[in-house]
Amino acid sequence: MLLDNEYIPVISPIGYDAEGNCLNINADTVAGDIAAAIKATSLVSLTDVDGVMLDPAKKDTLISQLSIAQCYELIDKGIISKGMIPKILSSISVIKGGLKSVHIINGNNPHALLQELFTDQGIGTCILP
């Protein structure tokens, strides 16, 4: 209904437990679950880094495409670490659930979405099956 009326839904990943305590739910998990539920083909995850990098201190080490197997390898090697781990695990989960790709891009870059989706190289990391 929202999309049919040209509204953009904004969903806050906040939940409550049985006692009414407010819980912060991982936004990557929520976005992935929603994408799977509406049978999206792709998911774009905006973050404050350019994507997955072999060395986060060096922008020229950006990995433009990764398979699920490569994601697990990079987690095991400690290259994918900290806050990128839940983003990657959520990406893997939704791809296994039927999405064709997940794009991780830096939302601070002007026109990041257009550059990722409408150029051959893209500007972030694309996770594929």
Side-chain angles (χ1 to χ4, degrees):
M1 179 189 80
L2 292 174
L3 296 176
D4 288 342
N5 289 298
E6 298 184 6
Y7 287 95
I8 298 174
V10 176
I11 301 165
S12 177
I14 303 296
Y16 295 93
D17 65 14
E19 287 81 41
N21 297 308
C22 185
L23 305 170
N24 180 10
I25 302 168
N26 183 292
D28 297 313
T29 302
V30 172
D33 289 349
I34 292 169
I38 65 171
K39 299 186 182 353
T41 57
S42 295
L43 173 67
V44 177
S45 180
L46 297 175
T47 186
D48 61 352
V49 296
D50 291 338
V52 177
M53 293 180 264
L54 290 173
D55 180 350
K58 298 179 181 174
K59 287 190 177 252
D60 64 341
T61 66
L62 177 70
I63 303 169
S64 59
Q65 282 190 348
L66 286 172
S67 67
I68 290 174
Q70 290 170 317
C71 288
Y72 286 127
E73 275 181 44
L74 294 176
I75 291 171
D76 289 344
K77 291 179 180 177
I79 293 170
I80 293 175
S81 62
K82 301 179 184 171
M84 189 59 77
I85 290 175
K87 190 173 297 305
I88 294 297
L89 293 178
S90 175
S91 298
I92 290 169
S93 176
V94 298
I95 289 171
K96 287 181 176 180
L99 270 72
K100 293 181 180 174
S101 63
V102 176
H103 303 262
I104 300 171
I105 63 174
N106 189 336
N108 294 315
N109 293 333
H111 313 295
L113 185 60
L114 295 173
Q115 290 178 327
E116 179 65 18
L117 298 180
F118 297 112
T119 62
D120 291 335
Q121 177 71 16
I123 62 163
T125 299
C126 180
I127 313 293
L128 300 165

